[in-house]
Amino acid sequence: MKFIYLDESGSQDQGDVFVTCGLMVDAYKLRTKTAEFDEKLAALFDRHPGIRSDLKTSRFINGRGAWRQIDAQERKDFLSDICSIAVANGGKIFGIGISFDAFNAAAAAGNNQPFANSYWMAGAMFASCLVQKKVQGIKNSKGLTVVIMDDNKTEMPALSDALYQGDPWFDGLYQIQTRRRGNTIWIQRSAGDRFDHIINTAFAIKSDHSSLVQVADALSYVYRRYLELTSEDEAWAGEQDYYAGLIELLEPSREKIGRTPNSVCVDFYNQAKHPEWQL
């Protein structure tokens, strides 16, 4: 069994980038991975008494609020360590980077997407489809996955319904190829088994109750800031180099869709993604 912890970063009043990103961990490694992050966070708090908070990466790395008492280099080193812990010992990253402008155009282009203009749902469903595609071939139930989201009371009911109902619109994202009678075909799935490797539905948890949701928040922010910097005309070179280094560390562990059939769903996500994001 596997667990994936998902969070998101970005809003339209902050810029053009929205990232949904998650960390997948095998069940038998879950306790160790959680303990590693807890130890890092506890050590940070021990060095800076008086700070007790869940890790909201955008506030932490930019030194907002109580975080400003921590030296900038220490904050950068801490975020680098979190990224290293995330991908160590087989940790896998799932997600998507969306451009709001591109998403809005794709949503208005008649792609019949079943989530209307909800970029949160678009990101959560893409990540869920990617999980389904990558684990559905693992034998002996070892690919069964629990999806855990940072709590979003407005959107979570719709996500639960979408995973339970299995709209065929998403089929192109998780279909795989096989050969039958000498012909290569895409395996079709029925309503009851479209998300058969995601256990029941998505589950919600508060970020301050889950270390690994906070790690997912960090990964989402790192990818978001990296994508933002690719289009900023006056970006600080040192900041660009820092995030580029983190992405170089993370990218070998990020899962990608790979080959897909021609479908309106795949077309939609190719239109909606940030131009620097490889599906």
Side-chain angles (χ1 to χ4, degrees), residues 46-86:
D46 287 344
R47 292 193 299 272
H48 303 280
I51 296 178
R52 286 292 185 273
S53 176
D54 60 321
L55 184 68
K56 293 296 185 184
T57 309
S58 62
R59 292 180 56 80
F60 169 79
I61 195 63
N62 291 299
R64 297 183 187 139
W67 298 115
R68 71 169 57 94
Q69 66 183 271
I70 302 178
D71 179 75
Q73 188 60 52
E74 184 177 359
R75 284 184 263 121
K76 290 171 67 175
D77 291 344
F78 183 85
L79 183 55
S80 298
D81 287 346
I82 294 309
C83 291
S84 295
I85 291 172

Side-chain angles (χ1 to χ4, degrees), residues 212-263:
L212 294 187
V213 164
Q214 295 178 59
V215 173
D217 174 72
L219 298 176
S220 298
Y221 181 81
V222 166
Y223 272 104
R224 170 193 153 197
R225 189 64 189 130
Y226 172 74
L227 294 175
E228 288 173 341
L229 288 167
T230 62
S231 56
E232 288 186 3
D233 294 334
E234 298 181 1
W236 178 48
E239 187 181 19
Q240 287 181 317
D241 291 343
Y242 171 68
Y243 284 101
L246 294 182
I247 295 302
E248 185 177 357
L249 170 67
L250 297 175
E251 272 294 279
S253 297
R254 182 169 73 85
E255 296 285 0
K256 300 177 180 66
I257 284 292
R259 296 188 65 186
T260 60
N262 295 325
S263 70

Side-chain angles (χ1 to χ4, degrees), residues 133 136-137 174-178 185-189:
K133 182 166 189 176
Q136 61 192 349
Y174 46 72
Q175 285 178 324
I176 56 176
Q177 286 185 320
T178 189
I185 64 169
W186 294 98
I187 297 177
Q188 302 294 317
R189 285 182 167 268

Side-chain angles (χ1 to χ4, degrees), residues 124-155:
M125 285 303 296
F126 180 89
S128 298
C129 290
L130 185 56
V131 168
Q132 173 69 28
K133 182 166 189 176
K134 295 301 180 179
V135 303
Q136 61 192 349
I138 302 175
K139 297 180 180 179
N140 300 324
S141 299
K142 292 182 179 180
L144 294 177
T145 302
V146 179
V147 175
I148 302 173
M149 304 285 301
D150 185 24
D151 196 13
N152 184 319
K153 292 179 175 58
T154 301
E155 300 275 16

Side-chain angles (χ1 to χ4, degrees), residues 8 10 17 35 47 59 87 91 105 112 124 137 146 196 203 210 220 253 257:
E8 77 284 339
V17 183
R47 292 193 299 272
R59 292 180 56 80
V87 298
N112 300 315
V146 179
D196 62 346
F203 296 89
S210 170
S220 298
S253 297
I257 284 292

